[in-house]
Amino acid sequence: MHHAERRPSHYRLRCTVCGQRRPDDGLALGCPEPHAPGLLRTEYQATAFTPDPAFQGVYRYHSWLPVRRTLPDTGRTAVYRSRRLAASLGLTELWIAFNGYWPERGGELTTGSFKELEAATVLGRIPQDAGTLVVTSAGNTATAFAELCARHRVPVVIVVPAGALPRLRTRTPGGELVQVVAVEDADYADAIALGDALAQQPGFTPEGGTRNVGRRDGLATVLLAAVEAMGTAPDHYVQAIGSGAGALAVHEAALRLRCRPGHDTDPLPRLLLAQNACYAPVHQAWQTGERPWLTDGEQDQRAAAERAFAPELTNRRPPYDLSGGLHEVLTESAGHVRIADAAAARAAMDAFRELEGIDIEPAAGIALAALRDAVRDGEVAADARVLLNITGGGRARLALEHELTGHQPTMLVPRETAHRPGEIAELAARLADTRELHPAVV
Ligand SMILES: [Zn+2]
């Protein structure tokens, strides 16, 4: 398709620091004004919440998504009211937002996590001539982008620590448009350094992580799907977090829902966020006012990622203090942060499988364990309306029912290269050459 792309006009970007509004070029990750760091947020023309059943997957909510196109065969969150798990927790109204593979419940996210919601939205947001997208991840985000970029033939470079390669498996084989750069002996921070440098090269464009409004508004569809199923917003929203992008997204969606005519006095869902007991920077910051990322070294994070029950929750530099960040949304929502250890999370995963009938990922086990504790301690009332985000699940079931393909790295890069800016241009050129050997983009 080579026709001129329509610049989307159904929304604008607003800077949370200076308040300036701008049209979106599909790539912006921050405000150009020289001020303190802050997130951009979307502002949609539509003030009514109008799911559009003519569209599949997350695009059902396209009037509140920063997208200029939609991709076929995308999934969305399956939301249902729990009976057995609710009873075991002592809750009268527990709703499950299930993100993953569970055909009987409408769970059709074939990479088994809610990162697919963000990938679908980010890919719908970028202009087609944006160049090669660079995504850095050690886990579910890499898998989500590998799957959707392969399925929809979008050029992407996925930068991962080499140790994460075995987990990078998708239903759709990679193909020549999905290039994987594996950094040897590296942790997530090394991969980020390489990804950031590569994305600055001509012909490449950064995905941007939490700063990308596409990512956050894609994750916000968890709450939109829930409100559609529940008929109203929950009193409590429960999620395990690393960067906390999902929690920011849900809070932003709650603010948007409150702007609907007649809803301006609706209470905001209280965020109940959860982290690994062994490494919980957001919990520590919220409870003590300390900022562990200012004092802890990379080594602490590296060690934590090795021993944590849910390693993807060990983000060392969460978007906490910046405008629109975690401190702000926890304060606005009267939220709280809890921790759960491996034993509690494992018990929660077992309970979910037994009572609800499907496997869930360790991070979701952390969230469920935290909810159980919060109910026990009276932080969540027995008759409260609770939404539990199962951020990943059904992966064991998916592996039984479908063949998954691994991704061979296009390039194995020594760890030192990630920290030598002088070598990045050559690496970028080699990636471009590799692609030309397989002239699939015409
Ligand atoms: Zn600004």
Side-chain angles (χ1 to χ4, degrees):
M1 296 214 286
H2 287 277
H3 58 84
E5 270 187 301
R6 190 173 51 89
R7 202 177 175 125
S9 57
H10 66 288
Y11 69 99
R12 288 187 299 176
L13 300 179
R14 188 180 60 82
C15 170
T16 57
V17 181
C18 68
Q20 283 195 54
R21 295 176 172 83
R22 288 186 177 78
D24 184 20
D25 63 2
L27 299 168
L29 298 172
C31 178
E33 298 298 328
H35 53 52
L39 296 172
L40 297 174
R41 283 181 180 171
T42 45
E43 264 184 15
Y44 295 98
Q45 224 163 42
T47 51
F49 176 46
T50 48
D52 184 348
F55 286 80
Q56 267 195 319
V58 293
Y59 306 119
R60 182 181 183 86
Y61 308 110
H62 62 82
S63 61
W64 284 2
L65 288 179
V67 293
R68 57 181 70 205
R69 65 169 164 276
T70 62
L71 310 171
D73 304 322
T74 58
R76 66 185 176 107
T77 309
V79 180
Y80 71 94
R81 187 168 177 178
S82 160
R83 303 287 168 197
R84 297 185 64 200
L85 180 65
S88 93
L89 292 169
L91 288 171
T92 53
E93 190 170 350
L94 172 66
W95 293 79
I96 305 292
F98 184 85
N99 293 286
Y101 179 74
W102 194 359
E104 295 81 1
R105 288 278 185 197
E108 53 206 3
L109 300 175
T110 60
T111 62
S113 96
F114 75 151
K115 301 296 184 180
E116 222 171 301
L117 310 173
E118 68 183 30
T121 311
V122 167
L123 296 183
R125 180 183 176 228
I126 53 168
Q128 256 165 333
D129 58 3
T132 300
L133 193 64
V134 179
V135 177
T136 306
S137 162
N140 295 330
T141 297
T143 312
F145 275 92
E147 172 67 41
L148 291 196
C149 289
R151 205 188 292 168
H152 303 293
R153 306 193 53 71
V154 179
V156 67
V157 173
I158 296 171
V159 184
V160 297
L165 276 175
R167 290 197 304 277
L168 186 55
R169 294 163 61 78
T170 54
R171 272 185 74 181
T172 309
E176 62 288 336
L177 293 183
V178 178
Q179 296 182 304
V180 177
V181 173
V183 190
E184 293 173 303
D185 301 318
D187 63 13
Y188 185 45
D190 301 317
I192 285 180
L194 184 74
D196 285 353
L198 181 60
Q200 299 308 314
Q201 296 295 316
F204 295 86
T205 192
E207 187 272 329
T210 304
R211 290 175 300 150
N212 191 326
V213 292
R215 208 185 241 232
R216 300 205 309 282
D217 285 5
L219 295 176
T221 63
V222 172
L223 185 68
L224 302 185
V227 167
E228 208 187 337
M230 298 167 67
T232 179
D235 302 321
H236 296 269
Y237 169 79
V238 188
Q239 193 204 310
I241 61 159
S243 72
L248 299 177
V250 159
H251 185 75
E252 290 168 9
L255 292 171
R256 187 163 291 140
L257 286 160
R258 210 165 62 158
C259 287
R260 290 174 296 168
H263 288 270
D264 52 324
T265 56
D266 286 6
L268 292 165
R270 293 186 69 183
L271 301 177
L272 168 51
L273 310 181
Q275 297 202 294
N276 293 293
C278 69
Y279 187 77
V282 174
H283 175 259
Q284 194 182 340
W286 184 246
Q287 296 301 127
T288 68
E290 291 163 19
R291 300 290 183 263
W293 44 88
L294 298 177
T295 48
D296 294 358
E298 263 178 51
Q299 290 306 326
D300 300 299
Q301 192 271 339
R302 206 181 274 243
E306 277 167 20
R307 69 179 190 278
F309 186 66
E312 69 268 39
L313 306 180
T314 59
N315 187 313
R316 187 167 76 92
R317 296 186 172 278
Y320 192 79
D321 282 312
L322 80 175
S323 176
L326 284 168
H327 183 265
E328 185 179 314
V329 303
L330 279 165
T331 305
E332 273 184 5
S333 75
H336 32 179
V337 188
R338 301 190 76 107
I339 51 174
D341 64 19
R346 199 170 284 118
M349 291 168 73
D350 290 345
F352 196 94
R353 186 198 292 266
E354 187 192 321
L355 298 170
E356 301 292 313
I358 192 107
D359 59 287
I360 61 173
E361 293 296 297
I366 298 268
L368 175 52
L371 172 59
R372 189 180 289 278
D373 289 351
V375 175
R376 180 201 61 204
D377 296 347
E379 217 168 60
V380 170
D383 61 351
R385 197 180 293 123
V386 178
L387 177 65
L388 171 63
N389 187 345
I390 297 296
T391 46
R395 212 173 263 169
R397 166 101 186 260
L398 179 74
L400 284 177
E401 295 179 5
H402 294 278
E403 192 178 335
L404 300 178
T405 311
H407 291 254
Q408 292 303 316
T410 314
M411 214 172 273
L412 262 174
V413 178
R415 177 169 180 264
E416 302 75 54
T417 304
H419 304 283
R420 286 185 192 140
E423 294 180 18
I424 301 295
E426 193 202 323
L427 190 137
R430 275 164 59 207
L431 282 168
D433 284 349
T434 314
R435 181 156 293 151
E436 275 163 26
L437 295 175
H438 307 274
V441 209
V442 178

Coordinates of all heavy atoms in Angstrom, one line a residue, residues 15 18 31 33 35, ligand 1:
C15 N 0.9 17.6 26.6 CA 2.1 17.4 27.5 C 1.6 17.6 28.9 O 0.9 18.6 29.2 CB 3.1 18.5 27.1 SG 4.5 18.5 28.4
C18 N 3.7 21.0 30.5 CA 3.4 22.4 30.1 C 2.0 22.6 29.5 O 1.5 23.7 29.3 CB 4.4 22.9 29.1 SG 4.3 22.1 27.5
C31 N 7.7 15.9 24.9 CA 7.4 17.3 24.5 C 8.7 17.9 24.0 O 9.7 17.7 24.7 CB 6.8 18.0 25.7 SG 6.5 19.7 25.4
E33 N 9.5 21.0 24.3 CA 9.9 22.1 25.1 C 10.9 21.7 26.2 O 10.9 20.6 26.7 CB 8.6 22.7 25.9 CG 7.5 23.2 25.0 CD 8.0 24.4 24.1 OE1 8.8 25.2 24.6 OE2 7.5 24.5 23.0
H35 N 11.7 21.5 29.4 CA 11.3 21.5 30.8 C 11.5 20.2 31.4 O 12.0 19.3 30.8 CB 9.8 22.0 30.8 CG 8.8 21.2 30.0 ND1 8.7 19.9 30.0 CD2 7.9 21.6 29.1 CE1 7.8 19.5 29.2 NE2 7.3 20.5 28.6
Ligands
ZN1 ZN 5.7 20.3 27.5

